[in-house]
Amino acid sequence: MILLVVIAALFALVLINVPIAVAIGVVGGVGVYLNMGEQHLMNIPLTLFNGATNFPLIAIPLFIFAGALMNTSGISTRLINLVSALIGFVRGGLAMVNVGVSMFFAEISGSAVADVAATGSVLIPEMKRKKYNPNFSAAITSSSASLAVIIPPSLSMIIYGALAEVSVVQLFVAGIIPGILGGFGLACFCYYYAVKYDLPREEAFSLGRVWTTFKEAAWALLLPVIILGGIFGGFVTATEGAGIAVLAALIIGGVVYRELNLKLLYRALTEGVVQTAVVMLLVATSAVLGLFLTEMQLPQQLARQITTFTDDPIAVLALLNILLLLLGMFLHGAAAIILVVPIVMPLVYQVGIDPIHFGIILTLNLAIGQQTPPVASVLATACSIAKTDMWQTTRVNLPMIGVLFIILVLVTYIPAIPMSLVNIFYSTGG
Amino acid sequence: DKIVFAIGGSPQSLQGQTAQEFTRRLQERLGDGVEVEYYDSGQLGDERQLVQRLRMGTVDLAAISSIMSSIAPEFALFDLPFLVKNRDHLKRIDSEIVMTDLAANAAEQGLKIVSTWENGFRHITNNNHPIVTPSDMEGMRIRTPQSEWRTSMFSAWGANPTPMAFSEVFVGLQTGVIDGQENPLTNIYGARFQEVQNYLSLSSHVYSPIWLTAGTGRWDSLSDEVKQAIVDVAAETQDWALVRGAELDEELLVQMKNSGMEVNEVDREAFVEASKSIYQTFASQVPGGEQLVERSLTLAND
Amino acid sequence: MTRFWVEKLLEIFTVCLLIGLTSIVLAAVLFRAFDSSLIWYDEVASVGLAWLTFYGANLAALKRAHMGFPGIISHSPLPIRIPLFIFSELIVISFFALVAYYGYQVMEILAWDALVSLPSVSLTLTQSAVPISASLFILCELLSLPGAWKKMCAGVDTEHEAIEEAIRLAEEELKEAKA
Ligand code: NA
Ligand code: NA
């Protein structure tokens, strides 16, 4: 009951365009005041500060900064050239290039909008020139960019890991197989679509071209190798891996490609600051809401109520998926994670769902949420580049949402898909 | 009326078990008149925030451990290596030093120490080789809590103390970002470190107590009856915690061996020898430090 | 004019924080590799993150970049838009006024404590970021109010506008890269 009032109040504030972070803080603060009295309002500044001093979250500004550097230093164009040399010879190759590049590139910089803008502004005009349907062009760009949230490195996973207090590195590992499956699924759909609408191949496959583009892009490719190699190889933690990413992006953009200048560097820095603050203010204010919900024992009550109804993990996962899909329609990715995690984690633990497994389910749900209007900033950006109507594009996007949904169902009910790599690398024994 | 009681640790840890036992007994003693509300896992904040909330009176009771030495420096007594010999020794230190001298120091900082419970004796695990003398730790990256004392202790032994968020320690140990860590057995078992560590060296280098603490302002406003109930039940719980701690040490040692860890004793004399600089720093930095150490060590021989 | 200088100052301060944070993390990796880990690293870096959060939030307020849902407001008729706009501004300002007031009140309690790994640094210093940035937030909200008011009256969907801006930047960079 109280949970419903909280949700209604949040919605009311957000609908009249109070910033989401402030709306969360206001509802939490009013709750604390009504429930515990004026003296407890002193907890609010302490909780805000405590919410923002969460060590693993230091990865957020660092990855955002690295992503902004990558967006500005010509790395994306080189990647696109390489991927088209590799798979451009297949029917509908350009669409698959789109899938490949987005998966590799997106969701590092924290601003999904900036990432889609960076890749989409190259690929979508190119697809339109090659007579691809503009709606399809926007849809495939949006879906594949969203899929990137489960492919490491991923900001959503860093936020989830920090809030649920589980290892970010294990989350990264768990995302690999579902990410590859999703990319493969989308590529298959591209092929089917290309045959059906007789879409062109790019130029024929040539080893020579692969080699030239590879040499050009090699440094850019080195970036994830350095980051993930450093993390999985035991040289750095996930947080420090983000620091290495900044250093590598600076060296590659500034020294190797020589496309980074002081003006672009300053812009990447301010972009890093603003994007970080936008996400982190949410983290801080939702700690206030979390304080109120905890003192009301709401997450525990929710867990108890649902488990008296059913404690079958399959049913609980279905319920959670429905809830998350609904939330994803109306909330941006980061906001949804930040709100949901403290409320549902007791339930997740009580029915015995592995928190790493649940993290992948949660991020996949948010990837789908990026495709569902009204709140779908990734889709909106792609549509804006392609100059299409969001609802018409959504109709074309439905099969691709279907692909993502199938992956979600597979990941939910076959835990081995996300977990087998985790168990191999981080044998969690018995 | 209600008493809000919070801890930072997990429900499975020894402090979590102790806190639940305390809550159960206190609720029984107080009856329906006063409700005891209990929170674990840092739901109301980590230890630092709990101290702040005790002072504001928005939490009534909290279990506070390592952070105490940054509040009143005298509490760093318990950060001195090999000070506490065994649990009997601890009980004597508790009644003759903690509840008299240290409690007065805490009171000056706005905190009322109600009772001393236990987190346990801390031991070292690592992946390289058994640690017998300090020189075995040369250059080893050992994850320690942030405390100034703990890090300077491991530096004095030649190790490379490395702070790291607790949630990353498991993977850090496995990937080799760090070589080892130090914790009581209950924490080691709770975080499943035995699955990613080969060697357990029973150093007992530090005994971590945990103090049941109240804010002085809020404590004074409680009725005498409630105060007495809290003090009595906390004392009963202390005995329960010490017995449970000893039990767990035995049970868990078996578990550690079963999961394939090689267990060894350390050369205590060599470690004590290598720890002299820490005792000197304590004596020179902490007011009355030398006497505190002397009195504590004398109590070992009773 | 005031707006320009406040924005520049905030920008420079937060950019320094971000550079500092990056340097601390990289230094920590380096020092650990050479077997002398920085013991204050995670505590200080966490405080740095909090400062970046709160002062960065001021900058974001000035740029009106905080995550929101402007769709409904911008599509409703003007007589509804105006009171809702004023109401939502009032909510934002009152929230930060409260945070600033209570943030200042708790300073007294924080004066007792210091950082664990650097006992010479008092929590009054680290947590001063809360009341100071809350006050600055109100200033930034007021400084950006005239621009926001104009856009609201013109019925501009600010989310749409942000997307257009991101695309413009990306295309501009693309041209620069090709040139
Ligand atoms: Na990614
Ligand atoms: Na959506």
Side-chain angles (χ1 to χ4, degrees):
Chain A
M1 185 56 212
I2 297 169
L3 200 57
L4 287 182
V5 174
V6 167
I7 292 169
L10 271 177
F11 262 79
L13 288 174
V14 169
L15 282 181
I16 63 165
N17 201 17
V18 173
I20 299 176
V22 179
I24 291 174
V26 167
V27 173
V30 170
V32 167
Y33 175 72
L34 292 180
N35 185 36
M36 283 159 287
E38 198 245 324
Q39 197 199 6
H40 284 247
L41 289 178
M42 287 210 281
N43 287 335
I44 291 176
L46 292 182
T47 307
L48 277 174
F49 191 81
N50 223 46
T53 45
N54 189 333
F55 183 74
L57 290 177
I58 292 172
I60 293 183
L62 300 181
F63 270 127
I64 292 179
F65 180 30
L69 284 172
M70 284 173 70
N71 278 349
T72 56
S73 54
I75 292 175
S76 52
T77 340
R78 288 179 173 84
L79 276 178
I80 290 169
N81 291 338
L82 172 65
V83 181
S84 24
L86 279 173
I87 48 173
F89 67 94
V90 188
R91 236 175 218 283
L94 198 53
M96 294 184 197
V97 169
N98 199 331
V99 175
V101 172
S102 300
M103 278 173 50
F104 178 86
F105 189 76
E107 241 316 291
I108 289 183
S109 84
S111 163
V113 169
D115 290 335
V116 180
T119 50
S121 58
V122 182
L123 286 170
I124 293 177
E126 187 72 17
M127 287 176 81
K128 284 168 85 175
R129 205 172 312 131
K130 298 269 166 71
K131 303 277 180 278
Y132 282 75
N133 175 339
N135 282 313
F136 173 74
S137 310
I140 189 71
T141 306
S142 169
S143 298
S144 53
S146 299
L147 184 65
V149 295
I150 60 165
I151 299 171
S154 148
L155 270 195
S156 306
M157 287 185 185
I158 293 170
I159 297 175
Y160 174 80
L163 296 183
E165 293 183 29
V166 297
S167 161
V168 174
V169 180
Q170 290 186 355
L171 285 168
F172 279 5
V173 172
I176 293 174
I177 293 181
I180 292 173
L181 277 180
F184 184 73
L186 287 178
C188 286
F189 178 74
C190 288
Y191 185 75
Y192 162 82
Y193 190 88
V195 172
K196 189 171 168 197
Y197 291 97
D198 195 27
L199 292 172
R201 298 176 163 84
E202 301 308 296
E203 42 210 298
F205 184 82
S206 119
L207 260 182
R209 197 163 149 264
V210 171
W211 177 239
T212 2
T213 52
F214 175 77
K215 276 194 297 189
E216 271 280 290
W219 287 98
L221 283 174
L222 209 58
L223 201 62
V225 174
I226 296 171
I227 302 167
L228 297 179
I231 295 173
F232 298 147
F235 184 59
V236 292
T237 62
T239 310
E240 294 160 354
I244 304 285
V246 173
L247 192 65
L250 275 176
I251 293 173
I252 293 170
V255 182
V256 183
Y257 291 155
R258 291 177 175 279
E259 279 172 23
L260 186 68
N261 52 37
L262 274 182
K263 187 184 135 217
L264 288 179
L265 177 64
Y266 189 74
R267 193 201 285 166
L269 276 163
T270 48
E271 218 166 90
V273 167
V274 172
Q275 295 295 348
T276 304
V278 166
V279 175
M280 284 297 299
L281 189 67
L282 266 169
V283 173
T285 56
S286 40
V288 176
L289 181 61
L291 180 70
F292 164 61
L293 295 179
T294 305
E295 301 211 359
M296 297 298 290
Q297 308 256 17
L298 269 178
Q300 285 76 11
Q301 271 177 29
L302 183 77
R304 222 172 298 136
Q305 273 168 7
I306 290 183
T307 46
T308 51
F309 181 59
T310 168
D311 56 2
D312 178 11
I314 293 180
V316 172
L317 279 171
L319 258 174
L320 282 170
N321 272 321
I322 294 168
L323 169 84
L324 294 171
L325 285 172
L326 278 175
L327 262 177
M329 291 179 103
F330 296 100
L331 276 178
H332 292 278
I337 295 185
I338 293 164
L339 261 183
V340 159
V341 166
I343 298 176
V344 302
M345 281 329 272
L347 176 64
V348 167
Y349 279 109
Q350 202 169 327
V351 292
I353 302 168
D354 187 299
I356 301 282
H357 181 199
F358 180 67
I360 304 298
I361 296 173
L362 178 63
T363 35
L364 252 175
N365 265 298
L366 300 177
I368 297 174
Q370 295 279 24
Q371 311 308 312
T372 48
V375 178
S377 50
V378 171
L379 180 67
T381 310
C383 291
S384 191
I385 298 172
K387 307 204 167 48
T388 58
D389 175 74
M390 194 148 89
W391 294 99
Q392 275 176 12
T393 302
T394 298
R395 206 169 307 152
V396 182
N397 200 12
L398 281 178
M400 286 169 266
I401 297 177
V403 171
L404 295 179
F405 187 75
I406 292 169
I407 304 291
L408 173 65
V409 173
L410 288 176
V411 164
T412 305
Y413 292 115
I414 311 178
I417 292 177
M419 298 309 291
S420 54
L421 274 187
V422 181
N423 290 334
I424 291 170
F425 288 129
Y426 307 105
S427 68
T428 47
Chain B
D1 221 17
K2 68 179 181 186
I3 303 277
V4 179
F5 170 40
I7 66 168
S10 71
Q12 299 83 21
S13 63
L14 178 56
Q15 66 162 282
Q17 295 182 24
T18 312
Q20 287 165 64
E21 184 67 20
F22 171 74
T23 308
R24 195 183 58 75
R25 291 179 186 215
L26 183 62
Q27 187 66 75
E28 215 174 85
R29 164 90 175 249
L30 290 174
D32 294 337
V34 183
E35 188 196 352
V36 185
E37 257 181 41
Y38 161 69
Y39 299 92
D40 54 30
S41 311
Q43 288 175 32
L44 296 192
D46 58 11
E47 281 191 10
R48 152 139 284 151
Q49 223 189 346
L50 288 178
V51 168
Q52 292 165 354
R53 297 186 63 167
L54 284 175
R55 289 184 179 136
M56 289 189 295
T58 55
V59 163
D60 302 322
L61 288 171
I64 307 293
S65 65
S66 57
I67 202 170
M68 213 51 135
S69 63
S70 75
I71 294 165
E74 292 82 358
F75 279 86
L77 183 65
F78 287 95
D79 281 321
L80 293 176
F82 307 108
L83 181 98
V84 180
K85 215 169 150 191
N86 50 40
R87 290 187 172 84
D88 289 331
H89 185 196
L90 184 267
K91 277 206 86 167
R92 288 192 290 272
I93 298 181
D94 183 39
S95 58
E96 292 185 36
I97 297 176
V98 176
M99 296 318 276
T100 54
D101 302 52
L102 298 194
N105 298 131
E108 283 167 28
Q109 303 295 323
L111 297 175
K112 153 87 187 166
I113 303 286
V114 182
S115 181
T116 308
W117 298 343
E118 114 159 23
N119 263 340
F121 282 100
R122 302 178 81 96
H123 306 294
I124 309 169
T125 67
N126 82 98
N127 267 337
N128 300 4
H129 47 246
I131 293 164
V132 181
T133 64
S135 61
D136 293 326
M137 267 198 285
E138 193 63 47
M140 237 186 229
R141 288 187 294 259
I142 305 281
R143 186 266 177 187
T144 66
Q146 280 164 345
S147 145
E148 208 196 359
W149 290 101
R150 195 69 51 77
T151 51
S152 54
M153 175 191 312
F154 276 83
S155 299
W157 295 338
N160 176 21
T162 304
M164 179 179 282
F166 194 73
S167 57
E168 289 297 341
V169 173
F170 184 89
V171 170
L173 290 170
Q174 181 150 37
T175 58
V177 177
I178 44 176
D179 303 308
Q181 59 85 42
E182 55 99 40
N183 259 300
L185 289 184
T186 49
N187 292 5
I188 294 174
Y189 186 74
R192 304 193 323 253
F193 293 152
Q194 71 274 15
E195 290 166 15
V196 290
Q197 293 272 269
N198 301 330
Y199 303 101
L200 168 64
S201 305
L202 297 172
S203 53
S204 299
H205 54 282
V206 159
Y207 177 87
S208 295
I210 184 156
W211 287 283
L212 180 67
T213 310
T216 37
R218 172 73 181 141
W219 179 258
D220 292 339
S221 73
L222 291 174
S223 74
D224 287 341
E225 190 201 333
V226 172
K227 270 193 268 196
Q228 196 57 49
I230 293 175
V231 170
D232 293 347
V233 174
E236 287 168 26
T237 311
Q238 181 189 45
D239 294 331
W240 185 90
L242 294 181
V243 171
R244 182 79 189 124
E247 264 172 32
L248 278 174
D249 274 356
E250 259 175 58
E251 279 170 31
L252 294 180
L253 197 57
V254 175
Q255 297 271 17
M256 302 276 158
K257 285 178 181 159
N258 285 349
S259 62
M261 276 189 128
E262 192 182 319
V263 181
N264 71 287
E265 302 285 335
V266 304
D267 180 350
R268 199 179 150 101
E269 291 309 309
F271 269 97
V272 171
E273 188 61 29
S275 308
K276 286 207 165 120
S277 62
I278 310 290
Y279 277 77
Q280 276 159 10
T281 318
F282 183 80
S284 63
Q285 267 189 14
V286 175
E290 203 164 351
Q291 282 174 324
L292 280 177
V293 171
E294 243 167 62
R295 282 167 56 201
S296 311
L297 290 178
T298 330
L299 289 171
N301 307 323
D302 281 15
Chain C
M1 202 56 203
T2 328
R3 202 205 120 121
F4 176 82
W5 285 111
V6 171
E7 182 168 344
K8 278 295 149 219
L9 278 176
L10 276 172
E11 250 179 42
I12 292 169
F13 181 59
T14 49
V15 160
C16 289
L17 280 174
L18 180 52
I19 294 175
L21 202 54
T22 314
S23 317
I24 290 180
V25 171
L26 289 174
V29 176
L30 202 67
F31 274 85
R32 192 179 55 225
F34 288 102
D35 287 344
S36 53
S37 304
L38 302 174
I39 52 160
W40 44 265
Y41 150 55
D42 57 344
E43 201 180 14
V44 172
S46 305
V47 171
L49 176 66
W51 281 37
L52 187 62
T53 302
F54 295 116
Y55 292 110
N58 294 154
L59 190 59
L62 206 52
K63 296 178 191 260
R64 296 269 162 164
H66 283 288
M67 226 183 257
F69 185 67
I72 301 262
I73 291 261
S74 59
H75 289 107
S76 53
L78 199 61
I80 296 177
R81 235 184 286 156
I82 290 177
L84 286 183
F85 177 84
I86 295 172
F87 183 60
S88 107
E89 291 297 313
L90 279 177
I91 286 181
V92 174
I93 290 172
S94 342
F95 176 71
F96 284 101
L98 269 176
V99 172
Y101 175 76
Y102 287 100
Y104 180 73
Q105 296 291 310
V106 292
M107 286 322 235
E108 204 180 316
I109 287 160
L110 297 174
W112 297 87
D113 284 345
L115 292 187
V116 177
S117 57
L118 287 177
S120 55
V121 180
S122 160
L123 287 196
T124 334
L125 175 68
T126 59
Q127 300 209 6
S128 66
V130 175
I132 295 177
S133 73
S135 318
L136 278 175
F137 202 107
I138 297 172
L139 177 71
C140 292
E141 192 74 10
L142 292 175
L143 285 174
S144 57
L145 194 60
W149 173 264
K150 261 183 227 149
K151 279 182 192 164
M152 181 273 302
C153 289
V156 176
D157 183 331
T158 47
E159 190 179 14
H160 195 71
E161 198 186 43
I163 287 175
E164 293 300 327
E165 173 67 11
I167 296 172
R168 192 188 63 73
L169 276 178
E171 281 169 353
E172 185 188 298
E173 273 152 20
L174 205 62
K175 264 185 217 134
E176 266 175 39
K178 276 183 183 155

